[in-house]
Amino acid sequence: MTHRSAAQALIVLAAAMTMSGAALAQTAPAEPAPAPASPLTGNISLTTNYKFRGQDQDMIGRNDYAKTRGFKPAIQGGFDYAFGDSGFYVGNWNSSVNWLQGNSIETDLYGGYKFKAGPVDMDVGALTYIYPGNSAGNTTELYVGATYANEAFGSFTAKYSHTVSKDYFGYAGNKAGSGLKGRNTGYLNLAYSKEIVPKVTLKAAVGFTNMSSDIRSLGYKSYVDYNLGATYDFGGGLSLTGSVQGANKKTNYQVVANPGIEIPDFGTFGTTMYSPNKARFILTLTKTL
C-alpha cells in the first residue's frame, strides 16, 4: 500500500468514526431534565415556648393570672407560594397562642416581592397578624429586608417593620376605645447565621421595638430583644433548634401571676409578678415540606 493510499484510508476511517459517533449521539437517550422546584413550600413546628420579639405568647393561666413556667408548648406551621421567577410571593403562618381572651390561634397573612440589588437580596411586603375571636390584637405592618450572604462569613440580614394599623398588638387599647394609637411603632431586627460545623448552624439576632408615643405614655417602654442559638440539620427537611430568647425592660411589662392574700387593715401579701420578657431556653423541632 502506498503512503497516499494509507493516508486516504485513514481519512475514510476517521470520517466513518465521526459520522457513527454523531449518529450515536443523536440516538442516545437524553439525560432527564431536573424536576422544577415546586412553587409551594410548607413547614410545621413544635416548640417549647413561642416568643415573639422576645415576649411570651402563652400568658393566660389559672384564674386569668399569668403563667410563670418556662414550658409553654405551641404547634406552628404554614406555607409559602412563589409566583415562578417573578419574585412575587404570598404566604400564611399559624401558631397556637394564649394571651387574648377568647382567642387561641395567631394567623399571619403576608405577601411581597423579592429581588436582587447587586450582591444583596431584597424583600419588601406587607404582613397582617390576625387573632380570631379577639380582634383587639390584630396588627398590620409593612416591611423591608436586605440579606447579604457570603460563604466565608455567613449570612447577614437587616429587616425593618412599620405598623400601619390603628393599634400594635392591643398595647394602645384602641379597640376598647382608649383613643390611643399604636400606629408608627417600628421594629428593627438584625440577624446573622453561619454553618460552623457540618449540619450545625449558629444563629443570632437582636431586635429593637420602638413603641408609638401613645403606647409609651401608658408606661410601656421601647425595648431590645435577643435570640441566640444553633440549629442541627437531620436531613430530609427535619431540624432542631435550641436558643435563648428574651428581652430587656422586664419591669415595664410585668403582669400579676399570683394576687397574694389581702389582710384587712394590713394590706396584701404574697403578690408575685411575671414578665413575658424573661429569658428562656427554647427547643423547636421543624419539618419543612
Side-chain angles (χ1 to χ4, degrees), residues 55-173:
Q55 298 186 321
D56 292 354
Q57 299 300 290
D58 184 353
M59 288 291 294
I60 301 176
R62 184 176 299 177
N63 298 324
D64 295 336
Y65 294 112
K67 294 180 181 178
T68 59
R69 63 178 183 268
F71 182 67
K72 305 174 182 180
I75 183 169
Q76 306 170 331
F79 69 90
D80 292 273
Y81 185 87
F83 293 90
D85 297 325
S86 68
F88 290 99
Y89 65 90
V90 293
N92 160 253
W93 186 82
N94 312 275
S95 179
S96 55
V97 294
N98 186 23
W99 61 274
L100 283 168
Q101 294 289 351
N103 163 261
S104 61
I105 187 171
E106 170 191 329
T107 294
D108 302 347
L109 301 175
Y110 52 88
Y113 175 63
K114 294 181 179 180
F115 61 96
K116 278 277 191 182
V120 178
D121 295 314
M122 299 297 298
D123 183 11
V124 295
L127 189 158
T128 294
Y129 304 84
I130 301 171
Y131 298 89
N134 192 334
S135 59
N138 291 2
T139 302
T140 299
E141 296 178 333
L142 303 180
Y143 60 83
V144 56
T147 298
Y148 174 76
N150 182 289
E151 191 171 333
F153 299 103
S155 176
F156 301 85
T157 298
K159 183 176 180 179
Y160 177 73
S161 302
H162 191 82
T163 303
V164 294
S165 53
K166 289 183 179 180
D167 207 342
Y168 175 78
F169 299 104
Y171 273 113

Side-chain angles (χ1 to χ4, degrees), residues 226-269:
Y226 49 86
N227 185 334
L228 178 62
T231 296
Y232 182 82
D233 183 3
F234 293 99
L238 185 66
S239 63
L240 179 66
T241 299
S243 62
V244 175
Q245 301 179 37
N248 68 348
K249 305 296 182 183
K250 297 179 183 64
T251 57
N252 296 105
Y253 292 88
Q254 288 189 129
V255 291
V256 177
N258 186 335
I261 300 173
E262 183 177 354
I263 301 177
D265 301 325
F266 289 95
T268 303
F269 297 89

Side-chain angles (χ1 to χ4, degrees), residues 32-52:
S38 172
L40 184 66
T41 57
N43 61 84
I44 186 168
S45 298
L46 293 173
T47 185
T48 59
N49 191 338
Y50 170 31
K51 275 185 175 287
F52 176 73

